[in-house]
Amino acid sequence: MKNSTALGITGFSLIAVTYGMARFSWGLMMPEVAKEVSFSPQIAGIIAACSYLAYCLAIVFTPLLVSRFGPRMPAMTAALAAAAGLILLALTHSPLVLAVGLFIAGASAGLSSPALAEAVSQRISTHNQPQVNTAINAGTGAGIIVSVPVLLVMPGGWRMACITFAALAIFCLLLIYRHIPRETRAKKAQNPFALRELFSPAMLRLAFIALISGAASAAWWSFGPDILAHHLAVNARLRSLLWLISGAAGILAVFTGLLARYLAWTQIYRLSQLCMALPLLLMAFLQSYSGWLIPAVAMCGAGYVTLSGVLLVYAADVLRQAPATGVCVAFFMLAAGQVVGSALFGQIYAGYGAVITLIVFAGMSCAMLLITPSSRRQVSSEHRTTS
């Protein structure tokens, strides 16, 4: 097996476990968990926030681990954190243990992305890096695809599902050990950029886009099942099916690199923003279930995973000598946007209802059509032109 293929499969698998299973499966599990572990809606919000908090903390500190130990150690730590957090969830009988389990599981996602970005930058040629990075990032959709049927049909319910996810995380350790490089970069390249590059026009623009895009994405990823249930009166089994379709569509992001042969990255970026905005507008104006919901939720999944992959590519390019740091900044702002967006959505939803709220959040993605990310070279060129 070629090194690039083996690295791609390893990264894809780790992202599937850490994002699709350890992070995003909680939304589907929570109603069943609440039947066995009693907690109030307020406590449910705090428990869910633990995952976001851990993700943000992990993604901030992972570049330091990558710089010191190379990408293999943080990648293996990500798999172990996913397994440990999921096992805690499976064994829990109290809200406190739930919160701790979600915190550890959430950290696994923050550990994995920067480590994999560094591994790709070391082992894959510059020309092929965008294609490999976006293919790896599409693992989120695969994780969601696996998690939905496992949660629905696994004997033993959500607890046995968590054990199954943890076993898959342990299996990833073998792949990581074999295919993720252990070595750090040469000393000369370990600190190749000045602090001012983190505040360059390209990086600031990318951070702003990630923040607003993350906020917009919270409409579906934090409140999608609730909107389907209470605004569109979709039953529980159909909601699970629509969630599965959304996750399955996320795998289409694996073809982002191929699509980039025919479209510019800015065009792919705009398409992904439209894919996030249009379904929200459709859901706003529907009053009950419609067959149009199937392509709509598919667009939600494909749009978000593709967008995160595009942001990853731009982040790695802006700080191309330290891609783990670039990815860290972009994904931290994306997660911060989801935290802010979740809180804002809840407030507007409670005060003005689903229609107004969905229109507002669709408007966020539409506004981002006017602000496109740019690479360091593009910004430098623009600066020379305007000067």
Side-chain angles (χ1 to χ4, degrees):
M1 188 183 294
K2 289 184 179 179
N3 285 339
S4 59
T5 303
L7 177 57
I9 292 172
T10 300
F12 185 90
S13 302
L14 182 61
I15 292 296
V17 166
T18 56
Y19 279 82
M21 299 177 199
R23 193 170 175 218
F24 286 122
S25 66
W26 171 248
L28 279 178
M29 283 194 291
M30 187 174 68
E32 294 303 313
V33 174
K35 294 177 183 177
E36 297 185 35
V37 182
S38 178
F39 50 82
S40 66
Q42 291 83 359
I43 295 298
I46 294 172
I47 291 172
C50 287
S51 178
Y52 283 112
L53 176 61
Y55 177 84
C56 291
L57 291 174
I59 209 165
V60 166
F61 290 106
T62 300
L64 300 177
L65 296 177
V66 170
S67 176
R68 175 66 180 84
F69 300 104
R72 182 188 293 174
M73 190 278 279
M76 294 186 76
T77 304
L80 288 171
L86 288 162
I87 290 170
L88 271 179
L89 290 180
L91 300 177
T92 186
H93 290 282
S94 74
L96 177 60
V97 178
L98 273 179
V100 174
L102 274 180
F103 185 91
I104 296 171
S108 70
L111 286 160
S112 60
S113 290
L116 292 171
E118 176 67 18
V120 168
S121 74
Q122 286 190 24
R123 291 292 174 89
I124 307 299
S125 66
T126 303
H127 175 73
N128 291 322
Q129 284 177 19
Q131 185 170 349
V132 175
N133 274 323
T134 52
I136 287 173
N137 193 62
T140 299
I144 294 173
I145 287 176
V146 172
S147 66
V148 173
V150 169
L151 284 165
L152 287 177
V153 305
M154 176 66 70
W158 61 273
R159 293 184 187 275
M160 199 61 211
C162 285
I163 295 295
T164 303
F165 299 155
L168 292 172
I170 295 297
F171 174 73
C172 282
L173 285 173
L174 176 61
L175 294 177
I176 292 166
Y177 184 79
R178 293 191 62 183
H179 302 300
I180 299 293
R182 180 181 60 185
E183 63 272 12
T184 60
R185 287 174 179 264
K187 287 280 182 192
K188 165 174 152 182
Q190 279 189 12
N191 241 333
F193 65 94
L195 183 61
R196 65 176 177 274
E197 292 192 44
L198 288 174
F199 299 95
S200 66
M203 205 69 226
L204 291 175
R205 183 185 299 187
L206 186 68
F208 178 76
I209 289 170
L211 180 70
I212 302 302
S213 299
S217 74
W220 172 248
W221 294 109
S222 295
F223 288 90
D226 189 80
I227 292 294
L228 293 174
H230 297 106
H231 178 57
L232 300 176
V234 177
N235 64 56
R237 186 164 291 275
L238 188 51
R239 290 198 304 272
S240 295
L241 176 61
L242 290 172
W243 192 263
L244 175 61
I245 290 170
S246 181
I251 288 194
L252 293 175
V254 76
F255 299 110
T256 304
L258 181 63
L259 186 61
R261 297 180 185 178
Y262 306 97
L263 298 176
W265 283 101
T266 53
Q267 291 174 311
I268 299 173
Y269 162 80
R270 287 193 173 103
L271 282 173
S272 63
Q273 292 286 9
L274 280 174
C275 284
M276 288 173 57
L278 294 178
L280 299 183
L281 291 174
L282 176 68
M283 285 187 275
F285 292 107
L286 286 176
Q287 296 181 341
S288 61
Y289 174 78
S290 163
W292 285 105
L293 278 174
I294 294 175
V297 300
M299 288 172 69
C300 284
Y304 173 76
V305 180
T306 300
L307 177 65
S308 62
V310 170
L311 295 178
L312 186 157
V313 167
Y314 274 104
D317 182 68
V318 172
L319 293 180
R320 64 180 69 93
Q321 296 301 321
T325 302
V327 171
C328 158
V329 173
F331 278 30
F332 175 86
M333 295 303 289
L334 197 63
Q338 288 170 332
V339 174
V340 173
S342 296
L344 183 61
F345 192 101
Q347 292 297 315
I348 302 176
Y349 188 23
Y352 298 95
V355 175
I356 297 297
T357 312
L358 289 167
I359 291 173
V360 168
F361 276 70
M364 292 181 186
S365 288
C366 289
M368 290 301 97
L369 295 173
L370 305 176
I371 308 174
T372 58
S374 57
S375 70
R376 184 167 54 184
R377 285 175 300 218
Q378 288 172 318
V379 170
S380 299
S381 174
E382 290 167 5
H383 179 71
R384 287 194 298 270
T385 302
T386 55
S387 299

